[in-house]
Amino acid sequence: MRINKNWVMVALICAGLVALVSRSSSTVKSAEAKQAEGGLAAGFSTYEQAFTKAKADNKLILLDFYTDWCGWCKRMDRDVYSDASVQAELGKYFTAAKVNAEATVSHTYLGEQRTEQQIARHLGITGYPTLIFMTPDGQVVEKIPGYVEATEFTMVLRFIGTGAYKTQEYQNWKKTQS
C-alpha cells in the first residue's frame, strides 16, 4: 500500500490545529477557574470584589484587560505590578481586578450579565493590555491602552488616584511633580 505524502502532511496539520484549539480553549477555561477561585495575582481582586471593595473603601477601580497569549500583559504582571512604588499607589487609591478579554465568565456590568469578552467589546478595547480606571458606580475615568513602564505607571496612578485628572491634563500635572 502506498501512502500519499500530501495526505500525511494534511493529517499532521489538522492534528496540530486540533491540539492548538484544544489548548487555547482550556487556557480560557483555566483563567475562568482562576477567577472563580480567587487565585489572582497579588493585590488583585475578582471583578465583583473590586466593585464591592471600591464602594466600601471609597476608592477607584483599575480593571486590567489582558489575554493569556499577550506578551506585554505578562511583562506588565512581571515588571510593573511587582514594583513596590506601583503596589503602594495601587493600594492607596484603587481596588484592582484583572479581566480576561477572551473569557466567557459573566459579571454584572451596567445592570446586565455580560461576559468579560462582551465587557471588553463594550469598552472598545482592541489591544492588550488595556487599563480602565472607573468610579465605584462604573463610570469610566480613563482608558490607557498598552504597556506602561513602572515609573510612569506610578505617576499615572497618583494622577488619577488623587483626583488631579478632574482639573488638569496629565502632562501639565506631571511637570509640577518632582
Side-chain angles (χ1 to χ4, degrees):
M1 184 169 141
R2 198 175 157 149
I3 298 176
N4 184 334
K5 289 181 185 177
N6 290 336
W7 283 109
V8 171
M9 186 63 88
V10 167
L12 288 173
I13 290 171
C14 287
L17 288 173
V18 167
L20 182 64
V21 167
S22 163
R23 180 172 176 242
S24 148
S25 109
S26 70
T27 301
V28 170
K29 286 178 189 169
S30 74
E32 291 173 3
K34 227 189 232 184
Q35 184 93 4
E37 295 165 5
L40 300 168
F44 285 86
S45 303
T46 64
Y47 180 91
E48 282 79 10
Q49 289 170 339
F51 281 90
T52 301
K53 282 180 173 180
K55 285 177 185 170
D57 298 343
N58 196 29
K59 291 184 174 183
L60 294 170
I61 297 162
L62 166 63
L63 297 179
D64 177 348
F65 284 84
Y66 73 97
T67 63
D68 290 330
W69 50 263
C70 169
W72 287 107
C73 300
K74 292 173 183 168
R75 186 172 173 192
M76 190 96 174
D77 289 342
R78 184 188 69 227
D79 299 341
V80 178
Y81 293 127
S82 64
D83 183 88
S85 297
V86 168
Q87 289 178 0
E89 295 300 317
L90 263 177
K92 197 181 308 180
Y93 302 113
F94 302 92
T95 60
K98 295 185 81 54
V99 182
N100 184 339
E102 295 180 331
T104 56
V105 63
S106 291
H107 305 288
T108 302
Y109 176 73
L110 300 177
E112 297 178 14
Q113 284 299 114
R114 297 188 189 192
T115 66
E116 292 184 354
Q117 290 174 331
Q118 291 169 327
I119 295 168
R121 240 177 296 156
H122 182 265
L123 291 168
I125 296 171
T126 57
Y128 311 100
T130 294
L131 309 170
I132 301 286
F133 294 90
M134 295 181 137
T135 62
D137 63 356
Q139 181 182 8
V140 175
V141 169
E142 188 64 56
K143 176 179 172 181
I144 301 174
Y147 177 84
V148 182
E149 295 281 345
T151 305
E152 186 71 18
F153 192 51
T154 301
M155 295 293 287
V156 168
L157 291 171
R158 192 171 304 132
F159 173 73
I160 294 171
T162 61
Y165 72 92
K166 295 175 184 176
T167 60
Q168 48 194 311
E169 294 293 319
Y170 176 68
Q171 293 303 330
N172 293 335
W173 174 86
K174 188 176 171 185
K175 290 175 189 173
T176 66
Q177 305 301 301
S178 298

